[in-house]
Amino acid sequence: MARRRQLYEGKAKILFEGPEPGTIVQYFKDDATAFNAQKKGTITGKGVLNNRISEYLMQRLTEIGIPNHFIRRLNMREQLVREVEIIPLEVVVRNVAAGSLATRLGIQEGTRLPRSIIEYYYKNDALQDPMVSEEHITAFGWASTHDLDDIVQLTLRVNDFLTGLLLGVGITLVDFKLEFGRLWENDEMRIVLADEISPDNCRLWDLKTGEKMDKDRFRRDLGKVEEGYQEVARRLGILPEAGVRDMKGPEVMQ
Ligand code: UDP
């Protein structure tokens, strides 16, 4: 394998310096973690599926004018993205009560929320990503009010679009997490969608049966984790007929 400078290794991805300035290669691992990395495991084929699912969703978002960091997929586990300055926030959108919202506020999981709700978490592993408000974000300078206006607008558009797209293939978009970054072009800065959109950071339930097709299968030991991710790809029409295991591995990058 050609030597590349590794920039960062996270829980589910490794970032390498890209072939051109201002680009980064995102390598998708099969590693899975939950509960702030207290639970660790491997989901065979997850990296391949997430790379493909995220590519597909980012491309659809590009088509409707949502700026994002995606450039192109390089191989089964890698995609080329624009280098951005990540805003240290996890932006969560919820349409249906689940997970931490259901637990914290005592709302039955599966209850449709009166309207979509956005929450912010400060990205900091040592602090276990605490929930923060707009006040914290602007006071500590993680993002300006103007940045936050852009983030909210983009987030709501992503939610509307993905909700419809997934509904069309029989999936309820319960909640998901987005990350944003700053991209500079000729001294102008704009906020763009970054990271990934995959069953690792969305809750996806079958519309009819409520069956989970996302990382909750891993978090809650429900079994058939890989199958859940594959089913999402199959419904989106992007699962190769031979299945993930028959797909070839990453190609050597120069
Ligand atoms: N989420 C994520 N990364 C995190 C925390 C949450 O991608 O570090 C996603 C999660 O998959 C779900 C949504 O954000 O789709 C809301 O998660 P929640 O706050 O309910 O936390 P959890 O139950 O995952 O601990």
Side-chain angles (χ1 to χ4, degrees), residues 90 92 94 99-100 121 175-177 200-203 219:
E90 303 205 331
V92 169
R94 303 177 181 276
S100 70
Y121 295 83
D175 57 31
F176 60 101
K177 183 261 295 183
D200 263 12
N201 40 45
C202 301
R203 283 197 170 90
R219 289 189 193 99

Side-chain angles (χ1 to χ4, degrees), residues 152-208:
V152 169
Q153 270 212 19
L154 291 169
T155 299
L156 292 175
R157 286 178 62 203
V158 171
N159 185 40
D160 280 350
F161 180 76
L162 291 185
T163 296
L165 184 137
L166 290 163
L167 199 59
V169 295
I171 296 174
T172 305
L173 179 58
V174 171
D175 57 31
F176 60 101
K177 183 261 295 183
L178 297 177
E179 292 186 25
F180 293 89
R182 296 188 183 90
L183 181 66
W184 272 275
E185 280 164 333
N186 311 321
D187 281 349
E188 295 234 331
M189 186 280 283
R190 52 181 187 138
I191 303 275
V192 303
L193 184 59
D195 194 45
E196 67 176 281
I197 309 178
S198 74
D200 263 12
N201 40 45
C202 301
R203 283 197 170 90
L204 306 168
W205 294 356
D206 180 84
L207 189 62
K208 291 206 185 100

Side-chain angles (χ1 to χ4, degrees), residues 60-254:
R60 298 293 80 75
L61 290 169
T62 300
E63 285 165 8
I64 62 154
I66 305 278
N68 64 73
H69 73 162
F70 183 81
I71 302 172
R72 66 175 180 275
R73 187 160 61 89
L74 298 170
N75 56 52
M76 300 308 300
R77 286 187 184 269
E78 295 178 337
Q79 54 180 242
L80 189 67
V81 300
R82 278 188 206 294
E83 184 176 19
V84 299
E85 180 193 294
I86 288 287
I87 294 170
L89 296 175
E90 303 205 331
V91 180
V92 169
V93 192
R94 303 177 181 276
N95 300 306
V96 174
S100 70
L101 177 98
T103 310
R104 269 188 317 109
L105 304 183
I107 301 173
Q108 171 93 33
E109 222 179 38
T111 310
R112 184 148 282 279
L113 299 171
R115 61 178 173 82
S116 302
I117 292 173
I118 299 182
E119 295 170 350
Y120 306 102
Y121 295 83
Y122 177 44
K123 256 172 81 76
N124 184 317
D125 282 341
L127 299 175
Q128 305 187 348
D129 300 343
M131 191 193 247
V132 291
S133 71
E134 275 191 39
E135 288 283 292
H136 300 113
I137 296 167
T138 52
F140 295 119
W142 300 321
S144 67
T145 15
H146 187 266
D147 293 341
L148 271 182
D149 285 348
D150 288 354
I151 288 172
V152 169
Q153 270 212 19
L154 291 169
T155 299
L156 292 175
R157 286 178 62 203
V158 171
N159 185 40
D160 280 350
F161 180 76
L162 291 185
T163 296
L165 184 137
L166 290 163
L167 199 59
V169 295
I171 296 174
T172 305
L173 179 58
V174 171
D175 57 31
F176 60 101
K177 183 261 295 183
L178 297 177
E179 292 186 25
F180 293 89
R182 296 188 183 90
L183 181 66
W184 272 275
E185 280 164 333
N186 311 321
D187 281 349
E188 295 234 331
M189 186 280 283
R190 52 181 187 138
I191 303 275
V192 303
L193 184 59
D195 194 45
E196 67 176 281
I197 309 178
S198 74
D200 263 12
N201 40 45
C202 301
R203 283 197 170 90
L204 306 168
W205 294 356
D206 180 84
L207 189 62
K208 291 206 185 100
T209 65
E211 198 180 351
K212 298 182 198 325
M213 295 181 261
D214 55 59
K215 205 164 105 178
D216 270 350
R217 300 205 70 84
F218 168 76
R219 289 189 193 99
R220 301 179 188 191
D221 294 320
L222 300 176
K224 298 198 171 169
V225 187
E226 184 195 348
E227 286 83 345
Y229 285 57
Q230 271 190 35
E231 180 59 14
V232 174
R234 193 191 66 74
R235 291 198 194 184
L236 292 173
I238 54 174
L239 183 69
E241 279 184 22
V244 167
R245 288 213 178 83
D246 293 330
M247 295 158 83
K248 61 186 167 67
E251 287 154 16
V252 173
M253 284 262 316
Q254 290 307 318

